[in-house]
Amino acid sequence: MRIHHDAEGTELNTIKFKDAKRGKDIINAVKHWEQRTLVAWAADCAEQVLPLFEQQVPGDDRPRRAIEAGRAWSRKEVSMSEARKAAFAAHAAARDAGNEAATAAARAAGHAAATSHVTGHAIHAATYAAKAAAYSSGAVGPGDTVEAIREWQYQLVLEREGKVST
């Protein structure tokens, strides 16, 4: 564990993140996807861990609005600039969160919305969602382990591709 400090000088404990093998499978599977599909998938990944942020910072809806903006962009309801602005707001919420799981969850939301601008953000959304699960001490849906979250994300990939789980 490394010790870091936030902007106010408060000591933060930082857990080293170790990704699951499925992370590479996900990257290989989604690299050919169309951008709007990537945004929708990234939003699903981020939403899975959003409660970790909302429990820590009740009333701050910036990450939720980023996920909604990303989805709205994928449906052609908002501009890329609007989705990108929501992404920046989610990242600001991450800096304000004060808890590693909440911070990672907000970053997942920010990257999901930012995928409307640059497709590479989709993988970061999924990875930050896995980090949020790793940093949390409670269940976040399909399980609270990195392996469980990555497996859930991979199943979403297979569903979107119309493939049967193996």
Side-chain angles (χ1 to χ4, degrees), residues 1-4 11-17 100 134-135:
M1 189 175 303
R2 296 174 302 200
I3 305 299
H4 292 283
E11 189 174 284
L12 301 172
N13 293 327
T14 303
I15 302 166
K16 182 164 173 52
F17 174 72
E100 286 185 318
Y135 299 155

Side-chain angles (χ1 to χ4, degrees), residues 22-32 123 154 157 161:
R22 275 289 188 221
K24 290 182 183 175
D25 296 338
I26 291 167
I27 291 169
N28 290 330
V30 303
K31 65 185 174 187
H32 68 277
I123 292 302
Y154 188 65
V157 168
E161 291 185 343

Side-chain angles (χ1 to χ4, degrees), residues 36-103:
R36 292 187 192 276
T37 303
L38 275 171
V39 171
W41 172 77
D44 288 345
C45 292
E47 188 172 54
Q48 182 65 27
V49 296
L50 185 59
L52 295 173
F53 177 84
E54 293 178 331
Q55 290 165 6
Q56 179 71 25
V57 192
D60 187 341
D61 65 349
R62 292 175 290 178
R64 180 170 293 283
R65 282 186 286 147
I67 291 169
E68 291 168 358
R71 285 194 174 123
W73 180 85
S74 72
R75 295 186 305 265
K76 301 181 180 181
E77 296 171 358
V78 301
S79 69
M80 180 275 296
S81 294
E82 291 173 275
R84 191 169 175 222
K85 189 180 296 185
F88 286 132
H91 285 294
R95 288 188 297 276
D96 297 340
N99 169 287
E100 286 185 318
T103 295

